[in-house]
Amino acid sequence: PPPDPSHSLEATLDGMTEELASCYESLSAIFHFTAESRESSTLAEFAERLLRHLVTVTRSDTGTLSIVANSELTPLASIGCPLGASVSSPDLENAAILSRQDQWIEPPPLPHPSSPDSPALAGLVHPFYSGDELMGIISLGRYSSPTPLNAGEVSIVHTFAEFLNQEALSRRHAEAAIAASVARREFELAATIQKSLEPRAQAPVAGVSAAGHCESALTIGGDFYDIIPWNNMGFFFVIADVMGKGVAASMMAAVTRSVFRSMHELSLIHISEPTRQAEI
């Protein structure tokens, strides 16, 4: 018999209704997550909120989220399983990384009990990148159903992964800016210390005048020189090359200079002591 047009139309309408409902849930999840994400103080908290929304929208039973930190894939959040556990398998995650494409978690060939301790029956492993740099992996799985994620659910996984990607990059840039600010402040402090080590103009001693100039190979270093008048008989010259650069080298130079200055002052005390006793 010819197909029933009403039945075909009903199936089409059901499909459209399901798709619209999925889109509504996805948009609702995005709005809720965007509002909550402002309250996240750490990237781990941000990732946990994101993963919780993803598990709900995709009707998954479990999910894990890992990011690359210090060149290693580091677990950041998990739902429905211990942190660091695998929803799929290391081989599937490696395949996703190497191919830079989603990998599907498929039902095993034999029936498998529905248990959080067992591999997921169906799911998705999604690697996300920034250019050519791997940023992390999101894995979602279902224990209770072998039904794979539909196109709408896959799309929302990609959307949320991009949220995480941008947040991780934003925090990385912020940390880099703070580090640059600290380095700049350290640079200024080192320059101030180095400037303070330069000796003042010296009056002639015993008919001899002395002058000097110091210029570092780099902008800031620990090298310094000093010219110390010595008991009206001449000058004591100090030239020092401190290993290293920056504040640490400048501080070492300042301490060394102070030691030499102190030795000079002590020697003057010892020299003048017999004269003072003779006067008494």
Side-chain angles (χ1 to χ4, degrees):
D4 185 357
S6 61
H7 178 74
S8 177
L9 178 61
E10 183 178 355
T12 302
L13 289 174
D14 288 343
M16 292 176 62
T17 301
E18 183 178 353
E19 185 176 350
L20 287 173
S22 177
C23 290
Y24 171 78
E25 290 182 6
S26 300
L27 288 173
S28 177
I30 290 174
F31 283 126
H32 280 93
F33 170 71
T34 303
E36 288 184 5
S37 64
R38 300 190 187 98
E39 303 173 3
S40 302
S41 58
T42 65
L43 186 59
E45 186 178 352
F46 183 94
E48 194 277 333
R49 292 176 185 269
L50 181 147
L51 187 61
R52 187 175 65 246
H53 280 284
L54 261 184
V55 167
T56 301
V57 173
T58 60
R59 302 176 182 84
S60 299
D61 299 309
T62 184
T64 60
L65 194 160
S66 301
I67 65 166
V68 175
N70 298 324
S71 302
E72 293 184 358
L73 202 58
T74 305
L76 201 62
S78 63
I79 300 292
C81 64
L83 185 65
S86 179
V87 172
S88 56
S89 68
D91 291 341
L92 206 60
E93 292 182 352
N94 290 334
I97 293 173
L98 292 175
S99 66
R100 301 185 61 169
Q101 295 180 351
D102 293 344
Q103 299 294 313
W104 298 93
I105 302 173
E106 299 178 348
L110 298 176
H112 205 290
S114 299
S115 169
D117 298 326
S118 306
L121 293 175
L124 178 72
V125 179
H126 172 62
F128 53 98
Y129 287 76
S130 174
D132 292 329
E133 179 186 1
L134 174 67
M135 298 295 291
I137 286 183
I138 294 176
S139 299
L140 298 169
R142 294 169 176 165
Y143 296 123
S144 56
S145 170
T147 305
L149 274 66
N150 59 41
E153 291 168 337
V154 173
S155 178
I156 195 67
V157 171
H158 290 187
T159 300
F160 272 65
E162 187 58 28
F163 274 126
L164 180 62
N165 206 14
Q166 295 303 318
E167 181 68 15
L169 289 172
S170 176
R171 289 176 183 263
R172 180 187 297 179
H173 294 330
E175 291 173 358
I178 293 173
S181 177
V182 172
R184 185 168 57 252
R185 177 55 186 152
E186 180 177 313
F187 185 86
E188 294 171 352
L189 180 58
T192 301
I193 294 174
Q194 189 177 45
K195 187 70 175 177
S196 69
L197 297 181
E198 296 179 1
R200 298 182 179 87
Q202 301 290 340
V205 175
V208 178
S209 61
H213 174 73
C214 180
E215 184 172 347
S216 298
L218 299 179
T219 307
I220 296 297
D223 305 340
F224 76 98
Y225 76 96
D226 201 2
I227 303 174
I228 306 173
W230 195 264
N231 198 31
N232 294 322
M233 295 184 297
F235 294 98
F236 182 60
F237 295 95
V238 179
I239 301 177
D241 183 357
V242 180
M243 182 179 296
K245 301 295 178 185
V247 172
S250 297
M251 290 298 294
M252 178 61 71
V255 170
T256 306
R257 180 180 181 274
S258 297
V259 169
F260 279 112
R261 289 275 177 171
S262 298
M263 290 172 60
H264 166 62
E265 293 172 0
L266 288 173
S267 67
L268 293 180
I269 293 174
H270 292 317
I271 291 173
S272 61
E273 184 66 21
T275 304
R276 189 179 69 84
Q277 291 178 356
E279 290 176 353
I280 293 174

